Amino acid sequence: MTEIQNTEYTAYAVATLINQILEDQGIDRTIPPQMMYNYTRNGLIAKRTKNESAKGLKYTATEVSEFLN
């Protein structure tokens, strides 16, 4: 199973992590990275200022874990 490391994640990395989890669970579906950039911009991954640019924004492992759960 994919584990979240103690590091920072970009929106692209969150999409990659989700896709790995889906693959590990045998689910034949992928999440496009653009979806995570939209989630970032709208403050859905972690409480951020709405419409904050996703470019260069990084999430903590805790924020990613909370979003995935």
Side-chain angles (χ1 to χ4, degrees), residues 9-28:
Y9 294 85
T10 63
Y12 182 84
V14 174
T16 301
L17 182 61
I18 290 171
N19 288 331
Q20 184 62 53
I21 290 169
L22 292 172
E23 183 181 320
D24 290 350
Q25 293 183 357
I27 299 170
D28 186 25

Side-chain angles (χ1 to χ4, degrees), residues 3-50:
E3 291 185 28
I4 295 179
Q5 303 298 316
N6 190 15
T7 189
E8 293 184 324
Y9 294 85
T10 63
Y12 182 84
V14 174
T16 301
L17 182 61
I18 290 171
N19 288 331
Q20 184 62 53
I21 290 169
L22 292 172
E23 183 181 320
D24 290 350
Q25 293 183 357
I27 299 170
D28 186 25
R29 177 158 167 78
T30 58
I31 301 299
Q34 296 86 347
M35 185 175 178
M36 292 300 105
Y37 285 106
N38 287 337
Y39 277 22
T40 293
R41 188 177 58 248
N42 293 318
L44 298 174
I45 296 178
K47 301 297 181 207
R48 305 286 180 162
T49 304
K50 189 170 181 165

